[in-house]
Amino acid sequence: MIVTCLDLEGVLVPEIWIAFADAVGIPELRRTTRDEPDYDKLMKFRLDILKEHKLGLKEIQDTIAKIDPLPGAKEFLDELRSLGQVIILSDTFSQFATPLMKKLGWPTIFCNSLEVADNGEITGYKMRCAHSKLTTVKALQSCGFETIASGDSFNDLEMIKASKAGFLFRSTEKIIKEYPQFLAFTEYSDLLEAIKKYL
């Protein structure tokens, strides 16, 4: 049995932090895992900026409420789920993901959680586990599943490398150039056909 593991942001929905950066006019918050491989460093950078500007969970959730899945994402996901098991593996947070999962038809997602003070300030975050995407793929494999993985960022590369088949989707030129061994797609139809070959 095969489980397809997909990244969320940049693959199925727009990048949440980029949308929020644009909404509040703070370009520094446009930095994502496409730009910074060290997730801990990236999150500390983001939390410092939020604190400096007195922005909290509510302001981010207000932006997320206006975000829709990328055009064609739900249809792609629906068809993929009709063919086999799919899990979204994301470094986002449950407090961000829930409204987006509703718009995507409630697929399974494994993600992290934020630590939020009573006043709404985001004080920290809790990772589900270390190297969560790779750890999850290896755990699935230890249960007898084979995995296919696709994502767009540095934090997706471990699960892509560890899977039976791995693909880049709407990634950066830098990542595509550094990892030519992985097929890179920009259209859902092409990614779906590539995945189907292994199902």
Side-chain angles (χ1 to χ4, degrees):
M1 184 143 181
I2 295 175
V3 177
T4 301
C5 299
L6 299 174
D7 179 36
L8 177 65
E9 294 179 65
V11 174
L12 298 172
V13 303
E15 293 280 353
I16 292 168
W17 287 97
I18 290 178
F20 182 62
D22 293 346
V24 296
I26 304 174
E28 294 88 349
L29 285 174
R30 290 180 61 88
R31 193 166 179 77
T32 71
T33 51
R34 288 177 167 210
D35 312 299
E36 176 54 67
D38 186 330
Y39 190 73
D40 193 51
K41 181 178 175 183
L42 177 63
M43 277 307 300
K44 285 177 179 172
F45 172 77
R46 288 167 168 168
L47 294 183
D48 286 344
I49 292 175
L50 292 179
K51 188 168 187 175
E52 178 188 340
H53 291 273
K54 295 182 170 54
L55 296 166
L57 180 60
K58 181 187 182 302
E59 288 79 11
I60 300 175
Q61 287 179 328
D62 287 347
T63 296
I64 292 169
K66 300 169 188 167
I67 294 175
D68 287 320
L70 292 167
K74 186 176 185 301
E75 294 76 11
F76 161 75
L77 192 56
D78 286 346
E79 184 162 355
L80 192 56
R81 291 168 72 193
S82 76
L83 300 172
Q85 299 299 312
V86 179
I87 299 175
I88 297 172
L89 301 182
S90 175
D91 279 339
T92 194
F93 306 98
S94 54
Q95 294 94 332
F96 291 1
T98 301
L100 297 169
M101 293 306 99
K102 183 177 181 181
K103 291 178 181 180
L104 286 169
W106 297 112
T108 299
I109 182 169
F110 293 173
C111 60
N112 305 308
S113 58
L114 291 168
E115 296 168 351
V116 185
D118 291 341
N119 66 357
E121 179 187 350
I122 300 172
T123 56
Y125 59 97
K126 185 176 181 187
M127 301 297 282
R128 187 168 51 81
C129 57
H131 299 273
S132 60
K133 298 185 183 192
L134 174 63
T135 302
T136 303
V137 161
K138 286 190 169 181
L140 288 167
Q141 292 166 350
S142 75
C143 297
F145 295 99
E146 291 184 302
T147 59
I148 298 169
S150 182
D152 67 330
S153 299
F154 283 108
N155 64 336
D156 299 311
L157 293 170
E158 288 184 325
M159 73 170 179
I160 290 172
K161 290 175 187 175
S163 292
K164 175 181 180 180
F167 308 104
L168 295 170
F169 187 73
R170 296 183 182 173
S171 190
T172 64
E173 286 302 319
K174 176 179 169 58
I175 293 174
I176 292 169
K177 191 173 180 180
E178 284 184 22
Y179 296 91
Q181 68 269 40
F182 301 122
L183 292 176
F185 301 108
T186 58
E187 299 299 326
Y188 290 116
S189 56
D190 294 333
L191 178 59
L192 184 64
E193 287 308 309
I195 292 172
K196 277 182 178 179
K197 293 176 183 175
Y198 294 90
L199 296 177

